């Protein structure tokens, strides 16, 4: 057991720190046009797509260097390394693994430059957690696929130009072998026949959308991987889980905010932070977040050693889901009537922030696979208990 | 011994349900909550005709002369529909007037409430927080020209939608409630949206308002305590109906929605959670009914029973609200779908008239002082 | 809504109180031979079997009178109305409903006089919550049944003289229609071929037993109800649920003990009762117990009105299961190292009592049907959700 | 960066596991825990031969010279088997001596521990309760004949099974540890059974015991704090193994036991609970490993990391112990069946070296003082 870094890793950390010292103003001091130069600079450092092979324009960073880069960036609350989030997280790695040379040349540079947004289309109405039950259909017509159907809960779709999506090209309406006959397509969202209908969430934000496909023609060359092999493409893409380092830093930041809130709130003549119940709740959050951090490092070590990883990421997903729900709700409860205010009511600590936070958890909790699904994964894959 | 409702009360429930089903679907709730007043004036007049506004007003003042057990029936159903109206506020205002006001004031106000002409709300506390007597700090200025109020009362329910307020203040070490007309010069009503748009909240600002002797009533701590406790019971009654809506909607969803080839309600992860909701709702329902009965029939028990009800309901409904959304999956957290309105109500209900922390503390204090 | 009693009910309450004033010394002052005279006296009042028809020697008490009797008895911590607990609670009512005239005359008076103990044999190894899967076999041989098999978790069996038991007379080894072919027998435990093996529980008590039946002959006349109809006999017997009044009083007594314990314990220089977390825990217990009391009264009202009661008793069973586990564990946690002591270590508050209490919950929690089973009952019978 | 065990450590784990599987099935645990000493002397000598007793003793004092990360491997496996022996006590005694004693004392004692001839235990606190410095109240009598101890130390681990004690006392405002030989006249060891018979606990009574200057060591608060923290990590390491046993036994039961025609592990009510156990064990395992690493490698982090580990483990294992029994149904709570032994251990582990309340309070204090 050893939490030290190699000299070359330490050098890399110094390089990152120095870069941040020189190029990243403190969180409150970032000007409106800061992001443009920032993105150019990190792109020049090849820190965008840092884990990708250098042959496609990535950084070729080792696992530990990726960890160090994330740690330093999140510690300074740096903006993301590129705005094309879905492209960098999911689509790019899929294209690198399964794409043709032509697809790589066409899409990867744009993703690295964050030229436009990507979104990913898995869910459909009436499908829910059972992704493989998808029914959005594509049939061959000459050199094109013709898509008919709909995708829903597509995150960032209202802002995206392209979608990575799964369609069914065989096995329609069957419940057996439903994983067969799924094909992955890359689709330009400006194609005729596509309608994007934003979905407003309960916090009033429009980040998700339902997308309707009416005889949408997609050239064959936009298929990713073999026809009928889309499930494998997806699994490998979903398996490309990011470590939870960024999330942990975010949760620690939220814990600080929450501690400040408790320290500045009074109830019934007593400071909220003096209540043993509240103190214990905060400390329990801390233990969970620290456990997430250390679980992440432990699993990372296994990954570096090349040991097989089963579904351990579900452990941190469950923690995060609980923390996202509980921390926001605890804050709102502590703020009392003031916690309910969406805006207005001056002189109230934290107004608006926590109200929105306490309504925004489903994006994380449900979006990442419901807690019930995560528990099934652990029980079935790790503990070898029977399937439902 | 009869811990149930009478036939008349069951009939009242049917009547209220029909009224709300006919007039106030959740689509209608959404329409009303976005209006400038936050309630429907035509419906308000119909409620007067039906006798619901005068329900707990003595017949002497043109009311129906029933009590809080009857009122609980209406509040439960309104909670079930998230019905937006200054109804609970007005009933609490009415209950407070009945407790503290003199004959002439009652005569001047209560019949107007029963007829649907007067709506009122309480403006008791000065800081967001616990409904605690120390949280009344507004002091009257005692000048040679008379008594004046200068200050503000935040988090007043239905502020701007009612025409009278009972405002709590202190003077020379004593506590008072003063009845203020919304049209008083110097009284400004503002309202700011909370996450639950079916419940209006706002601030009263008081700019050099003269207190007339006829409109002010001395109250002791016990009377004030009773006002808070009645408020807790009232909100908790609405919480029963709202929580039962979550259970009903989510149960229906679990019966209808299939995944991996089965209705999701077949899986214990879902069905046990729904069973737990049932257990909690049944339980705080019993506590609320009993607390409502003590308001008139066993007043010395009210403080404990109101706190038990509001404490249990606050924790339980908050969890039910979150789990209701969660069990619906992605659709549950869209603006378009109704379940999230109940989640927002669960947080509003918890925060008003004392959350679980506040009431559990009150309960243990009482137990230890026995 | 009305929590008042009728004049005749109030009279009955006065009668009970007066009797208790005259005949029941305070809990600490009861002499060794007190129980003998006590049992005779309550037997004379016909308060043993108070709910049973007067025709069989019962008290013919109304539901409200039963409630009043229980309330007053438990408020004064009176000893039970008879020591033949299983006979009075389960076997007697079954015999009254399904027994022959001869069976009533033979067994009911002895039960009312608590002449000996009864036990009830439902569970078998490998059967668990699925009671109807029982395999203990009885075959006809002349005028006898011959029993072979075993019963387990039989409460009070080490002290009992008779057992009410279910055997299978048809449908062996089938999973369909398993409720058919079950027969109820009343068996003298001194019959040849019966072996009773007490089971020690983890708190060191031997209240349960496994009973082995090796060619045990039982005369036909000891069958209760028709052959093959034993499931109906059982269902009606299990449905004869007692109200939870006695339990609620017991839980309130435990809550008092717990409050005293907290008031007398110090931690880290602070009285345990000053911790907001502990205070909230105690108050939460109080809310649950009071909810049980009021749920009981609400369901009782429905019963009196003749309204159909579904499975509402499961609500209080779940509360009780949680409270039994949590209260004992909370006490032991509060007592720290001292809470672990089985005996010895003088000058330690509550030593031994809470340690045993915290190990005794399974009798209630598992014995009454596991919480998972209770939740299934509520979900399936009340909420109409699909069966597992 | 390598948050995992080395190949040598994994080998050690295999060795310990084999030793325990061969020598200490749960049937053997039951035999040993009922003996008068509560451990097996033959096995103790074999552990000396295997180097486990000198594991964390410097090679200078005939030890193996490894550290707490290695020791965690042994403790985890002993926890998994509920192995009854004064091993953890002796390791904590050894760790304490190493921190506070002078060279000659170390030379006199540590080699004896490594050889299996000396066992020791700490006797720090005076009241059952938190491992808090204020809870050391025994005062030495300063007489013209020397310093004397009169009093008692309750809840001493393995009391009567070890031959040395480090006893905490105060004198003239300072804190000391004094090394006492179990054979000292005036020292009486008694033991009384706790619900976990695999863990001996007893009282030391001290009747006018003279303190020799050579055997007493001044300690500051920071050193004492470190002793408690190391103790918390040691117990938490045993808790990992014990909790994993509960999970393994209960998972096996859920796979094998059928009810209503299916293995009960098919039902989410069972399988989700087992998944939650897994999540909690994985998590406090990470916290414990890290805390063990800080003992020697990052001492300033120990206070926080030890508390995070013991707090999380205390709550989680307590629930796991109860649920393990509950998921087994009736058989789980018989003396004959082994799962209940782990429930008892869960309560013992929670109560010793600080429960979750104590450690969470320590964590929040530290966070707020930053």
């Amino acid at each position: 057991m050893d939490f030290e870094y190699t000299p070359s890793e330490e050098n890399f950390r110094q390089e990152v720190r120095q870069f941040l010292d020189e190029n990243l103003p403190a969180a409150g001091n970032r000007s409106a046009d800061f992001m443009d130069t920032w993105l150019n600079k990190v792109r020049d450092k090849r820190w965008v797509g840092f884990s990708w092979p250098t042959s496609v324009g990535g950084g070729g960073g080792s696992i530990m260097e990726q960890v160090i880069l994330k740690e330093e960036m999140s510690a300074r609350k740096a903006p993301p390394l590129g705005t094309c989030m879905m492209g960098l997280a999911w689509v790019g790695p899929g294209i690198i693994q399964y794409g043709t040379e032509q697809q790589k040349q066409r899409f990867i540079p744009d993703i690295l430059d964050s030229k436009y947004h990507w979104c990913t289309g898995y869910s459909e109405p009436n499908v829910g957690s059972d992704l493989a039950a998808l029914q959005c259909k594509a049939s061959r017509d000459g050199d094109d696929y013709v898509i008919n159907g709909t995708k829903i809960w597509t995150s960032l779709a209202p802002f995206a130009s392209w979608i990575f999506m799964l369609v069914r090209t065989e096995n329609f309406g069957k419940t057996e072998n439903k994983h067969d006959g799924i094909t992955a397509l890359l689709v330009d969202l400006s194609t005729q026949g596509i309608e994007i209908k934003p979905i407003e969430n309960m916090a009033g934000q429009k980040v998700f959308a339902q997308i309707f496909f009416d005889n949408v023609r997609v050239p064959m060359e936009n298929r990713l991987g073999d026809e009928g092999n889309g499930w494998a493409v997806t699994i490998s893409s979903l398996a490309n889980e990011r470590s939870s380092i960024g999330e942990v830093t975010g949760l620690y930041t939220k814990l600080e905010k929450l501690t400040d809130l408790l320290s500045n709130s009074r109830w019934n003549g007593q400071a909220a932070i003096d209540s043993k119940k509240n103190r214990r709740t905060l400390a329990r959050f801390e233990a969970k977040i620290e456990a997430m951090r250390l679980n992440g490092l432990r699993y990372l070590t296994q990954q570096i050693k090349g040991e097989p990883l089963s579904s351990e990421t579900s452990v941190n997903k469950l923690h995060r889901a609980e923390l996202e729900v509980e921390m926001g709700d605890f804050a709102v409860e502590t703020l009392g009537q003031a916690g309910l205010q969406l805006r207005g009511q001056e002189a109230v600590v934290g107004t608006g922030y926590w109200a929105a936070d306490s309504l925004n958890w489903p994006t994380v909790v449900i979006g990442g696979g419901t807690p019930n699904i995560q528990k099934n994964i652990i029980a079935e894959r790790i503990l070898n208990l029977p399937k439902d | 011994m009869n811990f149930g409702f009478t036939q008349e009360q069951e009939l009242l429930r049917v009547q209220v349900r029909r009224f709300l089903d006919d007039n106030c679907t959740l689509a209608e709730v959404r329409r009303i909550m976005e209006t400038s007043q936050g309630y429907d004036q035509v419906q308000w007049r119909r409620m007067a005709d039906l006798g619901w506004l005068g329900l707990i007003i003595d017949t002497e003042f043109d009311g129906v002369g029933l009590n809080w057990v009857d009122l609980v029936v209406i509040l439960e159903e309104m909670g079930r529909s998230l019905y937006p109206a200054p109804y609970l506020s007005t009933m609490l205002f009415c209950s407070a007037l009945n407790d503290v006001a003199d004959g002439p004031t009652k005569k001047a106000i209560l019949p107007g409430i029963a007829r649907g002409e007067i709506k009122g709300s309480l403006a008791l506390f000065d800081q967001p927080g616990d409904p605690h007597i120390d949280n009344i700090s507004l002091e009257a200025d005692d000048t040679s020209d008379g008594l004046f109020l200068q200050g503000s009362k935040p988090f007043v329910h239905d502020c701007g939608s009612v025409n009278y307020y009972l405002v709590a203040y202190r003077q020379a070490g004593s506590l008072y409630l003063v009845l203020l007309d919304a049209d008083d010069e110097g009284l400004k009503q503002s309202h700011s949206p909370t996450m639950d748009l079916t419940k209006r909240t706002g601030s009263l600002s008081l700019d050099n308002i003269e207190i007339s002797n006829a409109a002010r009533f001395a109250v002791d701590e016990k009377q004030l305590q009773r006002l808070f406790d009645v408020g807790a019971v009232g909100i908790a009654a609405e919480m029963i109906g709202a929580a039962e809506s979550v259970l009903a909607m989510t149960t229906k969803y679990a019966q209808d929605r299939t995944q991996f080839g089965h209705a999701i309600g077949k899986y214990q992860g879902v069905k046990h959670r729904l069973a737990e909701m049932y257990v909690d709702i049944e339980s705080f329902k019993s506590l609320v009914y009993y607390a409502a009965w003590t308001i008139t029939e066993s007043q010395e028990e009210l403080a404990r029973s109101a706190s038990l009800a509001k404490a249990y309901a606050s924790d339980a409904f908050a969890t039910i609200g979150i789990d209701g959304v969660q069990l619906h999956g992605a659709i549950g957290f869209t603006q378009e779908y109704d379940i999230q309105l109940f989640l927002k109500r669960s947080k509003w209900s918890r925060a008003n008239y004392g959350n679980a922390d506040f009431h559990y503390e009150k309960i243990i204090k009482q137990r230890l002082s026995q």
Side-chain angles (χ1 to χ4, degrees), chain A residues 157-231:
Chain A
F159 320 108
S161 307
W162 280 78
I163 183 171
F164 164 98
M165 68 186 289
L166 296 182
V167 293
R168 184 165 289 287
T169 45
E170 271 175 81
N171 261 337
F172 295 98
K174 293 197 188 157
T175 54
E176 297 198 1
N177 302 324
K178 60 191 171 188
H179 296 90
D180 297 339
I182 293 172
T183 299
L185 297 179
L186 308 173
V187 181
D188 183 339
L189 285 169
S190 66
T191 314
Q192 203 180 353
I194 293 179
E195 190 197 351
I196 300 176
K197 204 179 135 201
I199 299 170
E200 188 177 357
N201 77 9
M202 62 177 165
Q205 300 171 339
K206 293 182 183 176
V207 178
F208 295 85
Q210 181 164 8
I211 311 182
F212 298 91
F213 298 84
D214 179 17
N215 285 316
V216 173
R217 300 190 80 87
V218 179
M220 199 76 64
E221 69 198 43
N222 285 10
R223 187 184 69 215
L224 188 61
D226 294 337
E227 182 170 300
N229 200 34
W231 191 248

Side-chain angles (χ1 to χ4, degrees), chain A residues 274-291:
Chain A
D274 288 342
S275 152
K276 192 102 172 180
K277 179 211 147 223
N278 291 342
R279 296 167 78 80
R280 199 183 200 279
T281 301
L282 283 180
R284 198 170 49 77
F285 291 152
E286 182 169 345
K288 278 205 174 181
I289 299 170
E290 181 69 4

Side-chain angles (χ1 to χ4, degrees), chain A residues 63-357:
Chain A
I63 293 179
M64 275 317 302
E65 285 170 344
Q66 292 170 45
V67 168
I68 290 166
L69 184 61
K70 268 187 199 156
E71 278 181 352
E72 295 301 322
M73 289 286 168
S74 53
R76 303 274 196 111
K77 300 186 173 57
L81 298 167
T83 53
C84 178
M85 296 195 304
M86 305 305 259
L88 288 163
W90 310 108
V91 183
I95 292 173
I96 291 168
Q97 193 176 352
Y98 285 94
T100 61
E101 203 46 48
Q102 190 213 5
Q103 287 171 335
K104 289 182 197 169
Q105 285 174 18
R106 178 169 175 197
F107 296 113
I108 297 294
D110 287 353
I111 292 175
L112 288 170
D113 291 339
S114 293
K115 275 219 177 137
Y116 45 80
H117 281 290
W118 279 84
C119 59
T120 57
Y122 301 116
S123 296
E124 297 179 11
N126 305 316
V127 167
S129 302
D130 187 10
L131 286 186
L134 65 92
Q135 294 302 328
C136 183
K137 173 182 175 177
S139 38
R140 289 275 278 267
D141 183 34
D143 283 347
D144 289 343
Y145 286 101
V146 181
I147 310 177
N148 279 287
T150 180
K151 291 287 170 185
I152 198 169
W153 316 125
T154 312
S155 184
L156 297 181
F159 320 108
S161 307
W162 280 78
I163 183 171
F164 164 98
M165 68 186 289
L166 296 182
V167 293
R168 184 165 289 287
T169 45
E170 271 175 81
N171 261 337
F172 295 98
K174 293 197 188 157
T175 54
E176 297 198 1
N177 302 324
K178 60 191 171 188
H179 296 90
D180 297 339
I182 293 172
T183 299
L185 297 179
L186 308 173
V187 181
D188 183 339
L189 285 169
S190 66
T191 314
Q192 203 180 353
I194 293 179
E195 190 197 351
I196 300 176
K197 204 179 135 201
I199 299 170
E200 188 177 357
N201 77 9
M202 62 177 165
Q205 300 171 339
K206 293 182 183 176
V207 178
F208 295 85
Q210 181 164 8
I211 311 182
F212 298 91
F213 298 84
D214 179 17
N215 285 316
V216 173
R217 300 190 80 87
V218 179
M220 199 76 64
E221 69 198 43
N222 285 10
R223 187 184 69 215
L224 188 61
D226 294 337
E227 182 170 300
N229 200 34
W231 191 248
V233 175
T234 306
I235 287 296
S236 93
S237 167
L238 289 176
N240 180 41
E241 303 265 9
R242 293 151 299 172
S243 80
S244 45
I245 289 163
E247 296 171 9
V248 166
T249 315
L251 287 166
Y252 265 124
T253 305
K254 200 186 263 197
L255 181 65
E256 278 169 40
K257 265 196 220 297
L258 202 47
T259 310
D260 287 348
L261 175 68
L262 272 284
S263 300
N264 292 315
S265 302
R266 292 187 75 76
W267 280 94
N268 214 346
Q270 190 194 33
I273 196 69
D274 288 342
S275 152
K276 192 102 172 180
K277 179 211 147 223
N278 291 342
R279 296 167 78 80
R280 199 183 200 279
T281 301
L282 283 180
R284 198 170 49 77
F285 291 152
E286 182 169 345
K288 278 205 174 181
I289 299 170
E290 181 69 4
M292 281 180 73
R293 182 179 82 85
L294 295 171
N295 286 340
L297 291 177
R298 208 148 58 78
Y299 299 146
L300 189 73
T301 298
Q302 284 173 256
Q303 202 184 333
I304 293 172
K305 286 184 182 170
E307 287 171 17
L309 262 185
S310 177
S311 305
E312 282 82 357
T313 48
S314 293
V315 170
N316 275 358
K317 278 193 185 172
L318 279 165
H319 279 313
R320 186 167 176 216
E322 278 186 30
L323 285 166
E324 290 288 348
V325 173
E326 288 181 17
M327 291 175 83
D329 189 58
F330 179 61
V332 165
E333 184 175 15
T334 302
L335 277 163
Q337 291 149 310
L340 307 165
Q341 299 291 323
L342 294 179
R343 51 186 185 275
Q345 297 287 47
E346 288 162 48
V348 159
V349 189
T351 283
Y353 173 85
W354 291 109
D357 186 84

Side-chain angles (χ1 to χ4, degrees), chain B residues 124-235:
Chain B
L124 305 176
F125 306 108
D126 295 72
Q127 295 296 323
D130 295 334
H132 191 276
I133 216 137
D134 296 343
N135 194 7
I136 299 174
S137 49
L138 180 66
E139 281 272 349
D141 296 324
D142 196 349
T143 73
S144 54
D145 293 338
L147 289 170
F148 292 89
L149 285 177
Q150 181 77 32
S152 69
K153 290 281 178 181
F155 305 106
V156 175
H157 293 174
D158 296 303
C159 193
S161 306
V162 300
N163 34 13
Y164 278 95
Y165 298 93
L166 270 172
V167 177
Y169 69 94
R170 290 174 188 273
Q171 187 216 334
S174 298
L175 279 164
Y176 297 87
L177 291 179
V178 58
L179 181 67
L180 297 182
D181 189 320
D183 294 334
D184 268 2
E185 222 178 315
L187 193 149
K188 268 197 212 103
Q189 310 161 81
S190 69
H191 119 260
S192 58
T194 72
M195 63 171 78
D196 180 5
L197 294 179
T198 67
K199 286 289 189 183
R200 294 262 144 159
T201 314
S203 277
L204 268 190
S205 105
L206 309 160
D207 185 14
N208 214 33
I209 290 197
E210 184 168 3
I211 300 170
S212 95
N213 262 329
R216 73 173 200 158
F217 316 105
V219 287
D220 59 24
E221 295 212 357
K222 219 172 142 187
Q223 283 175 307
L224 262 176
Q225 181 64 52
R226 181 173 156 81
L227 296 189
F228 317 152
D229 289 336
V230 171
V233 175
I235 285 188

Side-chain angles (χ1 to χ4, degrees), chain B residues 1-6 9 69 247 251 254-255 263 265-268 271-272 274-276 278-287 289-290 293 297 301 304 308 312 315 356-357 360-361 363-365 367-368:
Chain B
M1 224 294 308
N2 172 6
F3 191 7
F5 292 102
T6 61
Q9 287 161 340
V69 174
L247 178 57
T251 301
Q255 286 161 341
K266 181 185 159 71
Y267 301 112
Q268 291 186 349
K271 73 200 278 191
H272 284 185
L274 292 168
E276 287 157 6
Y278 179 82
V279 168
D280 280 334
I281 296 171
E282 279 290 290
S283 299
F284 76 73
K285 181 189 276 187
S286 293
L287 292 167
Y289 288 173
Y290 189 76
W293 180 78
E297 302 302 321
E301 281 187 276
R304 173 173 180 258
L308 288 169
Y312 196 132
D315 273 352
D357 266 8
Y360 278 131
E361 180 62 27
I363 292 160
I364 189 74
K365 266 205 187 105
R367 168 159 288 270
L368 291 171

